[in-house]
Amino acid sequence: MPEDFKVLIWMIVVLVIPFALTLMTVTQPRSLVADLAANPTPRGYTWSLSLFIVPVLVLAFWVSLRKQNPVQKKAFWITAVLLASGGVFLDVFFGLTFFTFVNRDATLGFTFWGWSFSQGWQKVIPIEELGFYFFGIVTVLLAYVWGDEYWFGAYNRDDAPRRGIRFRDLFSFHLRSAIFGVIIFALGWLYKKFGPHPWHEGFPGYFLFLTSVAITPSILFFPAANPYINWRAFSLAFLFMLLVSLFWEATIAVPYQWWGFQPRQMLGLLIHGFSGLPVEEPILWLGVTWATVIVYEIIYTLLYVCSPELKPAPRRSSDLGNE
């Protein structure tokens, strides 16, 4: 296990322990804003997308100022489209099973179709959900690329060794990831069925979806991606997304009911200090960042191997920060 990865794990542990100890002292959840008829956050969800859009614009401007090999650019957009499509898939086929969208005045009012297992197709999902997933994935990618090539550019890995990777070497079963995924879901399922909460009925479908999204790329590709991941850049992307997520959901979105959660599909482990936010939501962006970086590095390696005309060179060939 790389030393940088171990440091990242300890960073997460150091943050989680005091957060958990403090939040455990809250025994009564903060109340949701009940009087939605007064429209307490007009177009709030719409404007809140700027939490992703503004960093995207700034980082995209930085990327536009530097030379970028075409393979890297292609890998970036393939990853963005692939994973953003996964978020849209979640909303279309499971959004109405996992989530609720009560505060219509917090959106533009435009909706798209989603499937409900009890009521069939319904055109009730806010169009802002598409922006949430697309801009969220692009933000993760740009934060990682910026950290990899500039802020932590000294730890950027040379691309030359990618040239010698065979196609079949990109796929390798990572047993520890599989075991971790099975154990973490089993613990979640046990808490759902026997934990100290009133929502024992149902199935933790949202947690299963998050576990699958995070663990599947790791099971298939982690050994091949690991040598090229800049773990310092990963920590930057992860901590940024976690900070934005907690501010967004815990202090605004959930209290004002821009979106909510179906208890039957949740673990039942709620963060009372955050208005009863399910623990799955802080986990969401950890899993998304993990999966995004692994998929990006694998796609980049695959395209690099398939582009023999591209000269093998370090990715930070034009480090603006040192000019």
Side-chain angles (χ1 to χ4, degrees), residues 22-98:
T22 303
L23 290 170
M24 284 171 59
T25 65
V26 182
T27 58
Q28 297 182 3
R30 292 170 52 198
S31 300
L32 302 179
V33 176
D35 187 13
L36 297 182
N39 193 11
T41 57
R43 306 291 185 269
Y45 188 3
T46 307
W47 283 103
S48 73
L49 291 176
S50 61
L51 289 166
F52 284 156
I53 294 175
V54 171
V56 163
L57 292 176
V58 172
L59 293 175
F61 177 74
W62 171 83
V63 170
S64 71
L65 293 179
R66 59 180 300 279
K67 293 181 179 179
Q68 195 177 32
N69 71 60
V71 168
Q72 186 179 21
K73 185 181 296 185
K74 187 181 295 185
F76 179 95
W77 286 113
I78 290 176
T79 304
V81 171
L82 182 65
L83 295 181
S85 298
V88 175
F89 175 87
L90 166 65
D91 258 348
V92 170
F93 293 100
F94 298 100
L96 298 181
T97 300
F98 298 158

Side-chain angles (χ1 to χ4, degrees), residues 38-227:
N39 193 11
T41 57
R43 306 291 185 269
Y45 188 3
T46 307
W47 283 103
S48 73
L49 291 176
S50 61
L51 289 166
F52 284 156
I53 294 175
V54 171
V56 163
L57 292 176
V58 172
L59 293 175
F61 177 74
W62 171 83
V63 170
S64 71
L65 293 179
R66 59 180 300 279
K67 293 181 179 179
Q68 195 177 32
N69 71 60
V71 168
Q72 186 179 21
K73 185 181 296 185
K74 187 181 295 185
F76 179 95
W77 286 113
I78 290 176
T79 304
V81 171
L82 182 65
L83 295 181
S85 298
V88 175
F89 175 87
L90 166 65
D91 258 348
V92 170
F93 293 100
F94 298 100
L96 298 181
T97 300
F98 298 158
F99 313 123
T100 61
F101 304 99
V102 177
N103 191 346
R104 301 294 183 184
D105 291 327
T107 69
L108 291 173
F110 300 109
T111 57
F112 63 95
W113 294 92
W115 172 258
S116 169
F117 287 94
S118 60
Q119 301 179 24
W121 291 100
Q122 299 183 71
K123 191 171 181 287
V124 296
I125 303 178
I127 198 71
E128 283 81 0
E129 285 288 286
L130 301 180
F132 178 83
Y133 289 109
F134 176 75
F135 289 114
I137 294 298
V138 173
T139 301
V140 170
L141 279 171
L142 283 172
Y144 175 72
V145 170
W146 181 75
D148 183 33
E149 301 196 14
Y150 174 65
W151 199 244
F152 297 108
Y155 304 95
N156 179 286
R157 303 299 179 91
D158 193 342
D159 286 329
R162 297 181 194 259
R163 183 72 71 204
I165 296 179
R166 297 171 298 179
F167 178 77
R168 64 182 182 182
D169 293 334
L170 295 176
F171 301 89
S172 55
F173 182 77
H174 191 237
L175 181 60
R176 281 183 290 182
S177 292
I179 293 174
F180 177 80
V182 171
I183 292 175
I184 201 69
F185 178 74
L187 291 175
W189 183 85
L190 288 172
Y191 187 88
K192 171 70 173 176
K193 293 302 179 183
F194 307 107
H197 59 82
W199 297 287
H200 297 140
E201 296 298 322
F203 180 79
Y206 188 35
F207 187 64
L208 176 61
F209 185 90
L210 296 181
T211 304
S212 300
V213 167
I215 296 298
T216 300
S218 189
I219 292 173
L220 297 177
F221 306 118
F222 183 74
N226 183 31

